[in-house]
Amino acid sequence: MTEAGVGLEKLLEQVRAGGGVPRHIAIIMDGNGRWAGERALPRFMGHRQGMKSVRRVVTGSLELGVEHLTLYAFSKENWSRPPEEIGALMRLLSEYVERDKEELAEKGVRVRVIGDRSSLSPAALRAVESIEGTTAAGGTLALNLAISYGSRDEILGAARILAGRCLAGEMALDDISETSFASALYTAGSPDPDLLIRTSGEMRVSNFLLWQIAYSEILVTPVLWPDFGERDLYEAALEYQRRERRFGRVTR
Ligand code: IPE
Ligand code: IPE
Ligand code: MG
């Protein structure tokens, strides 16, 4: 990218001066396994390193003034990975929560875990409830952590919620709107992502936020997640500022 030689602070200034910082950034954090493989390390080490990138993007988002950050940490489909890898990922989650929850709370970050909690182990569920409880009062950055998350699953859940309300006579069929549907999704309360980033070069969405990304700008970077840092986030924000969002309109 063209900003490669620019210092981090300068880059941050450039983004701030550019105006139009994305309100909501969503990230598919991919490439941990390849990062480890390139170094002949076990996959787990890639996930451990990836946790540091999570810290960096949270810091970078706070610096930028991003209001919502949604991170895809573990998909429904990831349950089909070897049990040792799943175990390691869940332990990393607990470790992250224990290490960072107080600091996140101090910085005004409010964490919400989105996904199917019923499939989490008791220890993982405790970690989820603990970080949500500790950070509940945060008002600076809303951090959605997608864990055991599947977008089709989320959409079906919303359909069931609304159908249930209709059957119970609490709402009419005509009340099923984009707004009421969105408010039955896990992401209720967050605006749709302005920018969706996927690391490691894969050009797919892997069952992430299918409803919510209808008009998101998409950025795929070859950088592997464990190598992703503030600089990459700021460069992504600059790229976002260069995009012309049309929402179907004719603009010139
Ligand atoms: C992303 O890295 C982390 C999770 C999906 C949990 P991967 O583990 O998918 O890494 P690659 O894609 O194999 O490199
Ligand atoms: C998507 O990455 C899920 C997360 C980043 C948590 P995957 O590595 O699981 O996606 P695929 O299998 O390459 O599509
Ligand atoms: Mg992957």
PDB file of all heavy atoms in Angstrom, residues 38-73:
ATOM      1  N   GLU A  38       3.785 -21.508   8.269  1.00  0.00           N
ATOM      2  CA  GLU A  38       4.969 -20.893   7.644  1.00  0.00           C
ATOM      3  C   GLU A  38       6.171 -20.931   8.571  1.00  0.00           C
ATOM      4  O   GLU A  38       7.310 -20.806   8.136  1.00  0.00           O
ATOM      5  CB  GLU A  38       4.675 -19.413   7.304  1.00  0.00           C
ATOM      6  CG  GLU A  38       3.808 -19.236   6.086  1.00  0.00           C
ATOM      7  CD  GLU A  38       3.409 -17.770   5.868  1.00  0.00           C
ATOM      8  OE1 GLU A  38       3.821 -16.898   6.666  1.00  0.00           O
ATOM      9  OE2 GLU A  38       2.668 -17.518   4.894  1.00  0.00           O
ATOM     10  N   ARG A  39       5.911 -21.046   9.858  1.00  0.00           N
ATOM     11  CA  ARG A  39       6.993 -21.068  10.832  1.00  0.00           C
ATOM     12  C   ARG A  39       7.198 -22.458  11.433  1.00  0.00           C
ATOM     13  O   ARG A  39       7.882 -22.596  12.448  1.00  0.00           O
ATOM     14  CB  ARG A  39       6.675 -20.073  11.970  1.00  0.00           C
ATOM     15  CG  ARG A  39       6.754 -18.645  11.510  1.00  0.00           C
ATOM     16  CD  ARG A  39       5.994 -17.700  12.409  1.00  0.00           C
ATOM     17  NE  ARG A  39       6.124 -16.327  11.914  1.00  0.00           N
ATOM     18  CZ  ARG A  39       5.446 -15.840  10.859  1.00  0.00           C
ATOM     19  NH1 ARG A  39       4.560 -16.614  10.232  1.00  0.00           N
ATOM     20  NH2 ARG A  39       5.650 -14.604  10.442  1.00  0.00           N
ATOM     21  N   ALA A  40       6.578 -23.452  10.821  1.00  0.00           N
ATOM     22  CA  ALA A  40       6.637 -24.843  11.313  1.00  0.00           C
ATOM     23  C   ALA A  40       6.205 -24.940  12.776  1.00  0.00           C
ATOM     24  O   ALA A  40       6.761 -25.713  13.558  1.00  0.00           O
ATOM     25  CB  ALA A  40       8.046 -25.418  11.109  1.00  0.00           C
ATOM     26  N   LEU A  41       5.223 -24.121  13.150  1.00  0.00           N
ATOM     27  CA  LEU A  41       4.693 -24.142  14.520  1.00  0.00           C
ATOM     28  C   LEU A  41       3.321 -24.826  14.509  1.00  0.00           C
ATOM     29  O   LEU A  41       2.655 -24.871  13.470  1.00  0.00           O
ATOM     30  CB  LEU A  41       4.518 -22.708  15.038  1.00  0.00           C
ATOM     31  CG  LEU A  41       5.784 -21.873  15.236  1.00  0.00           C
ATOM     32  CD1 LEU A  41       5.425 -20.405  15.485  1.00  0.00           C
ATOM     33  CD2 LEU A  41       6.605 -22.428  16.394  1.00  0.00           C
ATOM     34  N   PRO A  42       2.877 -25.344  15.653  1.00  0.00           N
ATOM     35  CA  PRO A  42       1.513 -25.896  15.688  1.00  0.00           C
ATOM     36  C   PRO A  42       0.462 -24.796  15.474  1.00  0.00           C
ATOM     37  O   PRO A  42       0.709 -23.630  15.827  1.00  0.00           O
ATOM     38  CB  PRO A  42       1.405 -26.497  17.099  1.00  0.00           C
ATOM     39  CG  PRO A  42       2.521 -25.914  17.881  1.00  0.00           C
ATOM     40  CD  PRO A  42       3.585 -25.476  16.927  1.00  0.00           C
ATOM     41  N   ARG A  43      -0.677 -25.146  14.913  1.00  0.00           N
ATOM     42  CA  ARG A  43      -1.720 -24.157  14.602  1.00  0.00           C
ATOM     43  C   ARG A  43      -2.071 -23.299  15.815  1.00  0.00           C
ATOM     44  O   ARG A  43      -2.353 -22.113  15.719  1.00  0.00           O
ATOM     45  CB  ARG A  43      -2.986 -24.879  14.099  1.00  0.00           C
ATOM     46  CG  ARG A  43      -2.816 -25.513  12.733  1.00  0.00           C
ATOM     47  CD  ARG A  43      -4.095 -26.247  12.336  1.00  0.00           C
ATOM     48  NE  ARG A  43      -5.219 -25.332  12.193  1.00  0.00           N
ATOM     49  CZ  ARG A  43      -5.461 -24.611  11.102  1.00  0.00           C
ATOM     50  NH1 ARG A  43      -4.690 -24.739  10.048  1.00  0.00           N
ATOM     51  NH2 ARG A  43      -6.499 -23.802  11.052  1.00  0.00           N
ATOM     52  N   PHE A  44      -2.048 -23.954  16.965  1.00  0.00           N
ATOM     53  CA  PHE A  44      -2.389 -23.271  18.203  1.00  0.00           C
ATOM     54  C   PHE A  44      -1.570 -21.987  18.394  1.00  0.00           C
ATOM     55  O   PHE A  44      -2.071 -20.960  18.876  1.00  0.00           O
ATOM     56  CB  PHE A  44      -2.154 -24.259  19.361  1.00  0.00           C
ATOM     57  CG  PHE A  44      -1.969 -23.610  20.685  1.00  0.00           C
ATOM     58  CD1 PHE A  44      -3.051 -23.066  21.366  1.00  0.00           C
ATOM     59  CD2 PHE A  44      -0.710 -23.510  21.255  1.00  0.00           C
ATOM     60  CE1 PHE A  44      -2.886 -22.439  22.588  1.00  0.00           C
ATOM     61  CE2 PHE A  44      -0.530 -22.893  22.471  1.00  0.00           C
ATOM     62  CZ  PHE A  44      -1.620 -22.358  23.140  1.00  0.00           C
ATOM     63  N   MET A  45      -0.293 -22.053  17.974  1.00  0.00           N
ATOM     64  CA  MET A  45       0.567 -20.875  18.147  1.00  0.00           C
ATOM     65  C   MET A  45       0.088 -19.712  17.271  1.00  0.00           C
ATOM     66  O   MET A  45       0.250 -18.548  17.629  1.00  0.00           O
ATOM     67  CB  MET A  45       2.025 -21.225  17.808  1.00  0.00           C
ATOM     68  CG  MET A  45       2.648 -22.192  18.787  1.00  0.00           C
ATOM     69  SD  MET A  45       2.737 -21.521  20.451  1.00  0.00           S
ATOM     70  CE  MET A  45       4.085 -20.352  20.251  1.00  0.00           C
ATOM     71  N   GLY A  46      -0.488 -20.052  16.136  1.00  0.00           N
ATOM     72  CA  GLY A  46      -1.059 -19.011  15.280  1.00  0.00           C
ATOM     73  C   GLY A  46      -2.255 -18.352  15.956  1.00  0.00           C
ATOM     74  O   GLY A  46      -2.433 -17.127  15.904  1.00  0.00           O
ATOM     75  N   HIS A  47      -3.066 -19.171  16.612  1.00  0.00           N
ATOM     76  CA  HIS A  47      -4.232 -18.619  17.315  1.00  0.00           C
ATOM     77  C   HIS A  47      -3.773 -17.734  18.479  1.00  0.00           C
ATOM     78  O   HIS A  47      -4.335 -16.673  18.745  1.00  0.00           O
ATOM     79  CB  HIS A  47      -5.125 -19.746  17.847  1.00  0.00           C
ATOM     80  CG  HIS A  47      -5.718 -20.600  16.759  1.00  0.00           C
ATOM     81  ND1 HIS A  47      -6.278 -20.069  15.632  1.00  0.00           N
ATOM     82  CD2 HIS A  47      -5.838 -21.952  16.630  1.00  0.00           C
ATOM     83  CE1 HIS A  47      -6.721 -21.054  14.850  1.00  0.00           C
ATOM     84  NE2 HIS A  47      -6.452 -22.211  15.436  1.00  0.00           N
ATOM     85  N   ARG A  48      -2.731 -18.199  19.182  1.00  0.00           N
ATOM     86  CA  ARG A  48      -2.218 -17.408  20.310  1.00  0.00           C
ATOM     87  C   ARG A  48      -1.712 -16.043  19.821  1.00  0.00           C
ATOM     88  O   ARG A  48      -2.006 -15.005  20.410  1.00  0.00           O
ATOM     89  CB  ARG A  48      -1.102 -18.197  21.003  1.00  0.00           C
ATOM     90  CG  ARG A  48      -0.354 -17.431  22.063  1.00  0.00           C
ATOM     91  CD  ARG A  48       0.533 -18.337  22.865  1.00  0.00           C
ATOM     92  NE  ARG A  48      -0.267 -19.171  23.772  1.00  0.00           N
ATOM     93  CZ  ARG A  48      -0.813 -18.721  24.891  1.00  0.00           C
ATOM     94  NH1 ARG A  48      -0.666 -17.456  25.230  1.00  0.00           N
ATOM     95  NH2 ARG A  48      -1.528 -19.506  25.655  1.00  0.00           N
ATOM     96  N   GLN A  49      -0.979 -16.075  18.719  1.00  0.00           N
ATOM     97  CA  GLN A  49      -0.461 -14.832  18.146  1.00  0.00           C
ATOM     98  C   GLN A  49      -1.612 -13.941  17.669  1.00  0.00           C
ATOM     99  O   GLN A  49      -1.572 -12.728  17.772  1.00  0.00           O
ATOM    100  CB  GLN A  49       0.485 -15.176  16.981  1.00  0.00           C
ATOM    101  CG  GLN A  49       1.439 -14.082  16.604  1.00  0.00           C
ATOM    102  CD  GLN A  49       2.462 -13.762  17.686  1.00  0.00           C
ATOM    103  OE1 GLN A  49       2.760 -14.619  18.534  1.00  0.00           O
ATOM    104  NE2 GLN A  49       2.958 -12.539  17.680  1.00  0.00           N
ATOM    105  N   GLY A  50      -2.656 -14.595  17.158  1.00  0.00           N
ATOM    106  CA  GLY A  50      -3.825 -13.872  16.668  1.00  0.00           C
ATOM    107  C   GLY A  50      -4.510 -13.070  17.772  1.00  0.00           C
ATOM    108  O   GLY A  50      -5.139 -12.034  17.516  1.00  0.00           O
ATOM    109  N   MET A  51      -4.389 -13.543  18.993  1.00  0.00           N
ATOM    110  CA  MET A  51      -4.996 -12.825  20.116  1.00  0.00           C
ATOM    111  C   MET A  51      -4.364 -11.438  20.277  1.00  0.00           C
ATOM    112  O   MET A  51      -5.014 -10.471  20.660  1.00  0.00           O
ATOM    113  CB  MET A  51      -4.780 -13.629  21.396  1.00  0.00           C
ATOM    114  CG  MET A  51      -6.041 -13.866  22.162  1.00  0.00           C
ATOM    115  SD  MET A  51      -5.845 -15.136  23.395  1.00  0.00           S
ATOM    116  CE  MET A  51      -4.612 -14.458  24.472  1.00  0.00           C
ATOM    117  N   LYS A  52      -3.066 -11.374  19.965  1.00  0.00           N
ATOM    118  CA  LYS A  52      -2.383 -10.078  20.061  1.00  0.00           C
ATOM    119  C   LYS A  52      -2.937  -9.114  19.019  1.00  0.00           C
ATOM    120  O   LYS A  52      -3.026  -7.913  19.255  1.00  0.00           O
ATOM    121  CB  LYS A  52      -0.871 -10.258  19.873  1.00  0.00           C
ATOM    122  CG  LYS A  52      -0.262 -11.124  20.965  1.00  0.00           C
ATOM    123  CD  LYS A  52       1.240 -11.224  20.817  1.00  0.00           C
ATOM    124  CE  LYS A  52       1.788 -12.222  21.850  1.00  0.00           C
ATOM    125  NZ  LYS A  52       3.143 -12.679  21.521  1.00  0.00           N
ATOM    126  N   SER A  53      -3.301  -9.661  17.867  1.00  0.00           N
ATOM    127  CA  SER A  53      -3.893  -8.809  16.829  1.00  0.00           C
ATOM    128  C   SER A  53      -5.249  -8.279  17.288  1.00  0.00           C
ATOM    129  O   SER A  53      -5.631  -7.155  16.952  1.00  0.00           O
ATOM    130  CB  SER A  53      -4.061  -9.596  15.525  1.00  0.00           C
ATOM    131  OG  SER A  53      -2.815 -10.063  15.092  1.00  0.00           O
ATOM    132  N   VAL A  54      -5.984  -9.101  18.040  1.00  0.00           N
ATOM    133  CA  VAL A  54      -7.275  -8.642  18.578  1.00  0.00           C
ATOM    134  C   VAL A  54      -7.030  -7.405  19.442  1.00  0.00           C
ATOM    135  O   VAL A  54      -7.703  -6.385  19.296  1.00  0.00           O
ATOM    136  CB  VAL A  54      -7.978  -9.758  19.398  1.00  0.00           C
ATOM    137  CG1 VAL A  54      -9.187  -9.203  20.141  1.00  0.00           C
ATOM    138  CG2 VAL A  54      -8.393 -10.910  18.476  1.00  0.00           C
ATOM    139  N   ARG A  55      -6.023  -7.485  20.304  1.00  0.00           N
ATOM    140  CA  ARG A  55      -5.716  -6.323  21.164  1.00  0.00           C
ATOM    141  C   ARG A  55      -5.377  -5.106  20.315  1.00  0.00           C
ATOM    142  O   ARG A  55      -5.795  -3.994  20.609  1.00  0.00           O
ATOM    143  CB  ARG A  55      -4.523  -6.631  22.073  1.00  0.00           C
ATOM    144  CG  ARG A  55      -4.827  -7.687  23.068  1.00  0.00           C
ATOM    145  CD  ARG A  55      -3.844  -7.685  24.228  1.00  0.00           C
ATOM    146  NE  ARG A  55      -4.267  -8.735  25.128  1.00  0.00           N
ATOM    147  CZ  ARG A  55      -3.769  -9.968  25.104  1.00  0.00           C
ATOM    148  NH1 ARG A  55      -2.815 -10.286  24.278  1.00  0.00           N
ATOM    149  NH2 ARG A  55      -4.247 -10.887  25.931  1.00  0.00           N
ATOM    150  N   ARG A  56      -4.594  -5.334  19.266  1.00  0.00           N
ATOM    151  CA  ARG A  56      -4.164  -4.198  18.433  1.00  0.00           C
ATOM    152  C   ARG A  56      -5.347  -3.559  17.702  1.00  0.00           C
ATOM    153  O   ARG A  56      -5.414  -2.344  17.599  1.00  0.00           O
ATOM    154  CB  ARG A  56      -3.086  -4.646  17.429  1.00  0.00           C
ATOM    155  CG  ARG A  56      -1.769  -5.022  18.104  1.00  0.00           C
ATOM    156  CD  ARG A  56      -0.644  -5.125  17.080  1.00  0.00           C
ATOM    157  NE  ARG A  56      -0.836  -6.241  16.175  1.00  0.00           N
ATOM    158  CZ  ARG A  56      -0.167  -7.402  16.245  1.00  0.00           C
ATOM    159  NH1 ARG A  56       0.721  -7.586  17.195  1.00  0.00           N
ATOM    160  NH2 ARG A  56      -0.398  -8.355  15.363  1.00  0.00           N
ATOM    161  N   VAL A  57      -6.275  -4.379  17.200  1.00  0.00           N
ATOM    162  CA  VAL A  57      -7.396  -3.745  16.486  1.00  0.00           C
ATOM    163  C   VAL A  57      -8.363  -3.066  17.454  1.00  0.00           C
ATOM    164  O   VAL A  57      -9.002  -2.077  17.090  1.00  0.00           O
ATOM    165  CB  VAL A  57      -8.184  -4.678  15.524  1.00  0.00           C
ATOM    166  CG1 VAL A  57      -7.323  -5.134  14.372  1.00  0.00           C
ATOM    167  CG2 VAL A  57      -8.824  -5.819  16.207  1.00  0.00           C
ATOM    168  N   VAL A  58      -8.449  -3.565  18.677  1.00  0.00           N
ATOM    169  CA  VAL A  58      -9.300  -2.878  19.659  1.00  0.00           C
ATOM    170  C   VAL A  58      -8.669  -1.517  19.980  1.00  0.00           C
ATOM    171  O   VAL A  58      -9.345  -0.482  19.951  1.00  0.00           O
ATOM    172  CB  VAL A  58      -9.488  -3.736  20.946  1.00  0.00           C
ATOM    173  CG1 VAL A  58     -10.134  -2.912  22.051  1.00  0.00           C
ATOM    174  CG2 VAL A  58     -10.338  -4.966  20.629  1.00  0.00           C
ATOM    175  N   THR A  59      -7.362  -1.512  20.224  1.00  0.00           N
ATOM    176  CA  THR A  59      -6.660  -0.248  20.481  1.00  0.00           C
ATOM    177  C   THR A  59      -6.814   0.699  19.298  1.00  0.00           C
ATOM    178  O   THR A  59      -7.138   1.885  19.459  1.00  0.00           O
ATOM    179  CB  THR A  59      -5.152  -0.519  20.721  1.00  0.00           C
ATOM    180  OG1 THR A  59      -5.048  -1.475  21.765  1.00  0.00           O
ATOM    181  CG2 THR A  59      -4.403   0.746  21.098  1.00  0.00           C
ATOM    182  N   GLY A  60      -6.587   0.180  18.107  1.00  0.00           N
ATOM    183  CA  GLY A  60      -6.673   1.002  16.897  1.00  0.00           C
ATOM    184  C   GLY A  60      -8.076   1.545  16.691  1.00  0.00           C
ATOM    185  O   GLY A  60      -8.257   2.694  16.278  1.00  0.00           O
ATOM    186  N   SER A  61      -9.074   0.733  16.993  1.00  0.00           N
ATOM    187  CA  SER A  61     -10.465   1.179  16.824  1.00  0.00           C
ATOM    188  C   SER A  61     -10.783   2.301  17.802  1.00  0.00           C
ATOM    189  O   SER A  61     -11.478   3.261  17.456  1.00  0.00           O
ATOM    190  CB  SER A  61     -11.437   0.015  17.049  1.00  0.00           C
ATOM    191  OG  SER A  61     -11.219  -0.973  16.077  1.00  0.00           O
ATOM    192  N   LEU A  62     -10.263   2.179  19.027  1.00  0.00           N
ATOM    193  CA  LEU A  62     -10.475   3.235  20.018  1.00  0.00           C
ATOM    194  C   LEU A  62      -9.803   4.523  19.547  1.00  0.00           C
ATOM    195  O   LEU A  62     -10.376   5.610  19.650  1.00  0.00           O
ATOM    196  CB  LEU A  62      -9.916   2.810  21.382  1.00  0.00           C
ATOM    197  CG  LEU A  62     -10.740   1.751  22.131  1.00  0.00           C
ATOM    198  CD1 LEU A  62      -9.927   1.128  23.266  1.00  0.00           C
ATOM    199  CD2 LEU A  62     -12.026   2.351  22.689  1.00  0.00           C
ATOM    200  N   GLU A  63      -8.601   4.394  19.018  1.00  0.00           N
ATOM    201  CA  GLU A  63      -7.876   5.571  18.509  1.00  0.00           C
ATOM    202  C   GLU A  63      -8.650   6.250  17.375  1.00  0.00           C
ATOM    203  O   GLU A  63      -8.720   7.461  17.283  1.00  0.00           O
ATOM    204  CB  GLU A  63      -6.491   5.162  17.970  1.00  0.00           C
ATOM    205  CG  GLU A  63      -5.499   4.760  19.035  1.00  0.00           C
ATOM    206  CD  GLU A  63      -4.963   5.961  19.805  1.00  0.00           C
ATOM    207  OE1 GLU A  63      -5.105   7.089  19.317  1.00  0.00           O
ATOM    208  OE2 GLU A  63      -4.420   5.756  20.907  1.00  0.00           O
ATOM    209  N   LEU A  64      -9.215   5.427  16.500  1.00  0.00           N
ATOM    210  CA  LEU A  64      -9.920   5.953  15.331  1.00  0.00           C
ATOM    211  C   LEU A  64     -11.285   6.542  15.676  1.00  0.00           C
ATOM    212  O   LEU A  64     -11.838   7.325  14.921  1.00  0.00           O
ATOM    213  CB  LEU A  64     -10.154   4.837  14.306  1.00  0.00           C
ATOM    214  CG  LEU A  64      -9.012   4.421  13.386  1.00  0.00           C
ATOM    215  CD1 LEU A  64      -9.447   3.269  12.504  1.00  0.00           C
ATOM    216  CD2 LEU A  64      -8.560   5.593  12.510  1.00  0.00           C
ATOM    217  N   GLY A  65     -11.840   6.081  16.794  1.00  0.00           N
ATOM    218  CA  GLY A  65     -13.198   6.498  17.133  1.00  0.00           C
ATOM    219  C   GLY A  65     -14.263   5.645  16.463  1.00  0.00           C
ATOM    220  O   GLY A  65     -15.402   6.084  16.269  1.00  0.00           O
ATOM    221  N   VAL A  66     -13.873   4.415  16.110  1.00  0.00           N
ATOM    222  CA  VAL A  66     -14.855   3.456  15.591  1.00  0.00           C
ATOM    223  C   VAL A  66     -15.831   3.147  16.731  1.00  0.00           C
ATOM    224  O   VAL A  66     -15.413   3.010  17.879  1.00  0.00           O
ATOM    225  CB  VAL A  66     -14.124   2.168  15.132  1.00  0.00           C
ATOM    226  CG1 VAL A  66     -15.084   1.043  14.828  1.00  0.00           C
ATOM    227  CG2 VAL A  66     -13.232   2.463  13.932  1.00  0.00           C
ATOM    228  N   GLU A  67     -17.116   3.069  16.436  1.00  0.00           N
ATOM    229  CA  GLU A  67     -18.087   2.849  17.519  1.00  0.00           C
ATOM    230  C   GLU A  67     -18.441   1.383  17.738  1.00  0.00           C
ATOM    231  O   GLU A  67     -18.816   0.973  18.833  1.00  0.00           O
ATOM    232  CB  GLU A  67     -19.371   3.634  17.219  1.00  0.00           C
ATOM    233  CG  GLU A  67     -19.187   5.135  17.270  1.00  0.00           C
ATOM    234  CD  GLU A  67     -20.385   5.852  16.677  1.00  0.00           C
ATOM    235  OE1 GLU A  67     -21.519   5.583  17.108  1.00  0.00           O
ATOM    236  OE2 GLU A  67     -20.186   6.671  15.756  1.00  0.00           O
ATOM    237  N   HIS A  68     -18.375   0.604  16.654  1.00  0.00           N
ATOM    238  CA  HIS A  68     -18.730  -0.819  16.736  1.00  0.00           C
ATOM    239  C   HIS A  68     -17.676  -1.646  16.013  1.00  0.00           C
ATOM    240  O   HIS A  68     -17.294  -1.298  14.889  1.00  0.00           O
ATOM    241  CB  HIS A  68     -20.096  -1.091  16.085  1.00  0.00           C
ATOM    242  CG  HIS A  68     -21.205  -0.271  16.674  1.00  0.00           C
ATOM    243  ND1 HIS A  68     -22.065  -0.764  17.644  1.00  0.00           N
ATOM    244  CD2 HIS A  68     -21.579   1.011  16.444  1.00  0.00           C
ATOM    245  CE1 HIS A  68     -22.926   0.189  17.974  1.00  0.00           C
ATOM    246  NE2 HIS A  68     -22.653   1.276  17.263  1.00  0.00           N
ATOM    247  N   LEU A  69     -17.253  -2.714  16.661  1.00  0.00           N
ATOM    248  CA  LEU A  69     -16.258  -3.607  16.052  1.00  0.00           C
ATOM    249  C   LEU A  69     -16.768  -5.034  16.242  1.00  0.00           C
ATOM    250  O   LEU A  69     -17.070  -5.448  17.368  1.00  0.00           O
ATOM    251  CB  LEU A  69     -14.908  -3.412  16.765  1.00  0.00           C
ATOM    252  CG  LEU A  69     -13.750  -4.326  16.342  1.00  0.00           C
ATOM    253  CD1 LEU A  69     -13.319  -4.021  14.905  1.00  0.00           C
ATOM    254  CD2 LEU A  69     -12.547  -4.126  17.288  1.00  0.00           C
ATOM    255  N   THR A  70     -16.925  -5.756  15.139  1.00  0.00           N
ATOM    256  CA  THR A  70     -17.415  -7.134  15.240  1.00  0.00           C
ATOM    257  C   THR A  70     -16.338  -8.076  14.720  1.00  0.00           C
ATOM    258  O   THR A  70     -15.901  -7.952  13.574  1.00  0.00           O
ATOM    259  CB  THR A  70     -18.727  -7.305  14.439  1.00  0.00           C
ATOM    260  OG1 THR A  70     -19.700  -6.395  14.963  1.00  0.00           O
ATOM    261  CG2 THR A  70     -19.272  -8.722  14.566  1.00  0.00           C
ATOM    262  N   LEU A  71     -15.886  -8.975  15.585  1.00  0.00           N
ATOM    263  CA  LEU A  71     -14.782  -9.869  15.235  1.00  0.00           C
ATOM    264  C   LEU A  71     -15.264 -11.313  15.166  1.00  0.00           C
ATOM    265  O   LEU A  71     -15.877 -11.821  16.114  1.00  0.00           O
ATOM    266  CB  LEU A  71     -13.669  -9.747  16.296  1.00  0.00           C
ATOM    267  CG  LEU A  71     -13.056  -8.360  16.487  1.00  0.00           C
ATOM    268  CD1 LEU A  71     -12.003  -8.414  17.599  1.00  0.00           C
ATOM    269  CD2 LEU A  71     -12.430  -7.849  15.188  1.00  0.00           C
ATOM    270  N   TYR A  72     -14.981 -11.950  14.031  1.00  0.00           N
ATOM    271  CA  TYR A  72     -15.378 -13.349  13.833  1.00  0.00           C
ATOM    272  C   TYR A  72     -14.264 -14.225  14.415  1.00  0.00           C
ATOM    273  O   TYR A  72     -13.178 -14.342  13.841  1.00  0.00           O
ATOM    274  CB  TYR A  72     -15.509 -13.602  12.333  1.00  0.00           C
ATOM    275  CG  TYR A  72     -16.393 -14.748  11.899  1.00  0.00           C
ATOM    276  CD1 TYR A  72     -17.172 -15.477  12.793  1.00  0.00           C
ATOM    277  CD2 TYR A  72     -16.466 -15.084  10.543  1.00  0.00           C
ATOM    278  CE1 TYR A  72     -17.999 -16.505  12.347  1.00  0.00           C
ATOM    279  CE2 TYR A  72     -17.290 -16.112  10.090  1.00  0.00           C
ATOM    280  CZ  TYR A  72     -18.050 -16.821  10.998  1.00  0.00           C
ATOM    281  OH  TYR A  72     -18.853 -17.839  10.548  1.00  0.00           O
ATOM    282  N   ALA A  73     -14.533 -14.808  15.560  1.00  0.00           N
ATOM    283  CA  ALA A  73     -13.501 -15.571  16.272  1.00  0.00           C
ATOM    284  C   ALA A  73     -13.655 -17.075  16.083  1.00  0.00           C
ATOM    285  O   ALA A  73     -12.663 -17.814  16.064  1.00  0.00           O
ATOM    286  CB  ALA A  73     -13.545 -15.233  17.756  1.00  0.00           C
TER     287      ALA A  73
END
